[in-house]
């Protein structure tokens, strides 16, 4: 057996690239981050929703994710054959052969970001005042690479709002600054950068240019390994994208949305990189920043 110290929070790799095992000390750190974010968000009336790691495929299609990011989407398949067909397929498991030849796509996909189910709950509503949600989920993305911080299964916390264009614009500016200050308080020095999303295929450059021109997405980047900065949080406006897709309005016109995302695993990895593998040995000011005591 390994002689890992119980205070060591360093995640363990698994047979699957981008899928890590998380020791108790790491989970404790994630819990402290979660509570610190909750304190940060305490002066706004966020409704907290716990989001499962799967979502209706129809919702993800309607949201535009399947069309724009087919390369990242993990689908849920299950067996649709007969018992007699299975008699022929089952022996293939032993040789890792195509035992899954009769699997077919289901009505579920793996959740790619925590905020998606929220927009669908607004369908048909006219929002008289902004709504706010605080969500967290285990997310999945079929990433092509697995450098430090680029996981396929990772934890994301998000603060989400929907309302008028002016509200969403102002809210995003506010939260971009607030998250930058929070990370500074943890001794991380984020670089704030205009960013785009990894759209797939032909229209990619056009979409990315439009996203940058409209300043829809800002990332806060911090090293998670030597010389390897990753986006550990982002602050985004989506304009009327989800209002159109899910048919909701604010003050009578198509609803706008904004979100700020905290990559909990990447924040944990950035802290471990900055301060070492044992959170119990970190400087006391960090305990104060994280635990609020
Ligand atoms: P990247 O630019 O690194 O590919 P992204 O722009 O696709 O990330 P978002 O869609 O904005 O990321 O997701 C919100 C946050 O979730 C990111 O800022 C990051 O902290 C976290 N995140 C995204 N993808 C991953 C991943 N593969 N592993 C770990 N955390 C991730
Ligand atoms: Mg990005």
């Amino acid at each position: 057996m390994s002689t890992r110290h119980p205070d060591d929070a360093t995640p363990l790799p698994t047979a699957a690239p981008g899928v890590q095992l998380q020791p108790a000390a790491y989970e404790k750190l994630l819990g402290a981050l979660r509570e610190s974010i909750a304190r940060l968000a305490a002066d706004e009336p966020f409704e907290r929703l716990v989001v499962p790691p799967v979502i209706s495929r129809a919702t993800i299609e309607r949201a535009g994710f399947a069309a724009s990011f087919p390369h990242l989407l993990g689908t849920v398949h299950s067996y649709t054959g007969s018992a007699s067909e299975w008699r022929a397929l089952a022996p293939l498991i032993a040789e890792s052969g195509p035992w899954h030849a009769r699997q077919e796509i289901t009505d579920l996909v793996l959740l790619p970001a925590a905020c998606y189910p929220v927009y669908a709950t607004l369908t048909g509503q006219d929002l008289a005042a902004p709504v706010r949600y605080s969500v967290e989920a285990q997310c999945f993305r079929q990433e092509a690479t697995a450098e430090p911080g680029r996981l396929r299964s990772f934890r994301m916390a998000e603060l989400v709002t929907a309302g008028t264009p002016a509200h969403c614009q102002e809210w995003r500016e506010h939260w971009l600054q607030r998250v930058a200050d929070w990370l500074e308080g943890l001794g991380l020095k984020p670089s704030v950068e205009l960013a785009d999303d990894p759209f797939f295929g032909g229209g990619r450059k056009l979409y990315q240019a439009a996203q940058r021109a409209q300043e829809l997405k800002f990332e806060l980047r911090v090293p998670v390994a030597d010389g390897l900065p990753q986006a550990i949080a982002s602050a985004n406006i989506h304009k009327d994208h989800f209002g159109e897709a899910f048919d909701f309005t604010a003050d009578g016109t198509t609803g706008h949305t904004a979100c700020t995302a905290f990559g909990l695993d990447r924040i944990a990895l950035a802290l471990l990189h900055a301060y070492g593998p044992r959170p119990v040995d970190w400087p006391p000011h960090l305990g104060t920043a994280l635990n609020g005591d």
Side-chain angles (χ1 to χ4, degrees):
M1 281 302 284
S2 83
T3 52
R4 270 174 79 89
H5 193 281
D7 293 334
D8 188 343
T10 315
L12 278 70
T14 67
V19 181
Q20 64 182 20
L21 293 186
Q22 301 173 167
Y26 184 96
E27 276 308 297
K28 193 170 172 203
L29 174 56
L30 249 57
L33 288 172
R34 181 182 298 121
E35 278 165 33
S36 185
I37 293 166
R39 277 192 298 279
L40 196 67
D43 54 5
E44 276 183 56
F46 290 100
E47 180 177 346
R48 179 150 175 88
L49 290 172
V50 174
V51 179
V54 289
I55 182 170
S56 152
R57 173 160 59 91
T59 300
I60 246 13
E61 290 164 355
R62 199 167 165 186
F65 191 92
S68 295
F69 310 105
H71 57 310
L72 295 177
L73 185 62
T75 49
V76 175
H77 285 60
S78 74
Y79 185 64
T80 58
S82 65
S84 66
E85 283 171 300
W86 184 244
R87 272 198 297 282
L89 291 169
L92 299 173
I93 295 174
E95 64 208 49
S96 203
W99 60 265
H100 35 71
R102 293 301 316 268
Q103 305 290 113
E104 279 183 24
I105 199 159
T106 66
D107 61 335
L108 295 175
V109 293
L110 301 181
L111 183 74
C115 59
Y116 282 109
V118 168
Y119 309 122
T121 67
L122 301 176
T123 297
Q125 294 188 38
D126 180 45
L127 310 174
V131 290
R132 294 171 170 84
Y133 296 90
S134 165
V135 290
E136 180 181 331
Q138 189 78 38
C139 295
F140 177 89
R141 294 183 189 179
Q142 181 67 350
E143 300 279 6
T145 57
E147 72 275 17
R150 189 162 300 280
L151 303 170
R152 284 191 288 170
S153 183
F154 56 94
R155 218 89 56 96
M156 192 192 296
E158 286 192 75
L159 302 173
V160 186
T161 194
T164 61
H167 162 74
C168 290
Q169 185 75 45
E170 186 272 326
W171 187 93
R172 194 275 298 269
E173 301 317 319
H174 171 74
W175 273 100
L176 180 58
Q177 188 59 51
R178 212 160 160 73
V179 177
D181 292 346
W182 178 70
L183 292 172
E184 293 271 355
L186 296 177
L188 302 173
K189 293 183 177 51
S191 69
V192 179
E193 291 174 26
L194 188 60
D196 52 40
D197 282 317
F199 292 94
F200 190 70
R204 177 189 178 116
K205 292 230 158 61
L206 211 63
Y207 284 123
Q208 288 175 329
Q211 207 179 5
R212 282 177 178 267
Q214 297 177 76
E215 302 197 339
L216 301 185
K217 180 178 182 104
F218 284 94
E219 290 182 339
L220 297 105
R221 298 179 153 263
V222 171
V224 296
D226 284 339
L228 184 63
Q230 294 274 31
I232 65 172
S234 68
N236 313 289
I237 42 177
H238 319 112
K239 301 211 144 178
D240 60 2
H241 176 81
F242 293 115
E244 286 280 353
F246 291 104
D247 193 22
F248 59 87
T249 54
D251 285 352
T253 56
T254 308
H256 278 225
T257 58
C259 71
T260 182
F262 300 81
L264 295 179
D265 289 297
R266 283 190 183 169
I267 299 170
L269 294 171
L271 289 168
L272 290 166
H273 176 64
Y275 297 110
R278 295 187 194 182
V280 289
D281 294 339
W282 290 355
H285 74 267
L286 262 170
T288 312
L290 275 176
N291 302 319
D293 51 32

